[in-house]
Amino acid sequence: MPLPPLRGTPGTRPRARLLPRFLPRLLAVLAVVLGTAIAAPAPQARAAVTLTRVSDFGSNPGALTMYVYRPVTLPAHPAVVVALHGCTQNAQVYADNSGLPRLADEDGFLLVFAETGTANNVNKCFNWFQSGDNRRGQGEALSVRQMVGHAVTAYGADPGRVHVTGLSAGGAMTAVLLAAYPDVFSAGAVVAGLPYDCTRETSPYTCMNPGVDRSPADWAQRVRDAYPSYTGPWPRTAIWYGDRDTTVVPRNATELRDQWTALHGLSQTPTRSADIGPDATRQDQYLAADGTVAVEVDRVPGIGHGTPVDPGTGAEQCGGTGAPYFLDSLCSSRWIARFFGLDTTAPGDPDPGDPGPAACWTASNYAHVQAGRATTTGGYAYAVGSGQNMGLYNTFVTHTLKESPTGYFALADSGCP
């Protein structure tokens, strides 16, 4: 993750540099957190993915580099996934180890890799913490927006299916893009990242560890402030982190959840939870009224700071551990593609058209609302999906709700299923 922003020479982009008071902490970050060459050279990736550099995609105020991975077979009007590397990494390392190109081949979407360098940040971090780069219409955020525009015009990509994901500083910049350009990105996946605009009054280091606790309403307002005139739907957001991360601590995942559930008008209590993958990653999902997953939190057990991967050729495997911060666990990229709606027919998945068996829930109206199975208006509870009036919103009125298909609830007091 990055150094604090410092003022540069007038007329030039600001660069991060050392100051004596940051030296002890910086050395610890470089040696332990960022995986620089202080300890040992990083192992080489097993195979190099062929990327195409795009040199002219706009005015590029953030001085970023654009690379594209285009599958051999690409359908008309494909979806786009923008991928943002972590500190000390680059586009090639991220392509070689994240597993995303394999999924692009299988599922037919276009990959755009944005890359920053030492001219922007001494540790090659995206400047998620600098106001010149994390606001709509300027800096690195605008450069990525221009990359998306180029992908739409040059490759015929679908502007309604543009997604973004990234690790660490790239994850924090993912949150920036979702906040600054909700009209461009329909969904994003923040891996080991931070809530948008955490550094408005706080240093990047404090945001990273121990983290900053704010109310869901405060966090949500910070996103609204990024584009005050916006009145459209908010992007769907997945949040990934390792439960042993001491760099960007798990508290940030909780604050990210608070930020995006509040934006969607949802409770901070998950609608449903499950264990996924070979390591029993805990997945909490927060469903919108139409049954779609608006927010998802994936807690990966036993790993620290990095992208969860599962090297191998199995249907649920992807990625490699040929560089620092790619951690052997589960194929997070596949689950992220699934969240984006790009991987709906993976082996072992149910038929997307099959609603599956009905689930039944018996509880008070208060408990139904808290669990996301119902909403409340004017003192009454209403079933999510069917909109049926369930009576007064309190702990005394009890109903049975049937969930079928997933996220659609209907009264079933007379029998369920």
Side-chain angles (χ1 to χ4, degrees), residues 349-381:
D349 276 0
D351 181 342
D354 180 5
C360 300
W361 314 82
T362 301
S364 70
N365 282 354
Y366 174 83
H368 283 309
V369 170
Q370 294 303 305
R373 297 186 289 269
T375 59
T376 180
T377 302
Y380 290 85

Side-chain angles (χ1 to χ4, degrees), residues 108-149:
F109 58 84
L110 188 72
L111 269 172
V112 173
F113 290 90
E115 181 180 277
T116 187
T118 55
N120 285 5
N121 183 289
V122 68
N123 292 313
K124 297 190 290 185
C125 307
F126 289 98
N127 288 323
W128 57 275
F129 52 91
Q130 291 194 159
S131 59
D133 288 301
N134 65 12
R135 296 291 189 265
R136 183 179 177 90
Q138 59 192 52
E140 293 179 357
L142 179 54
S143 287
V144 177
R145 169 64 183 95
Q146 291 176 346
M147 293 180 192
V148 171

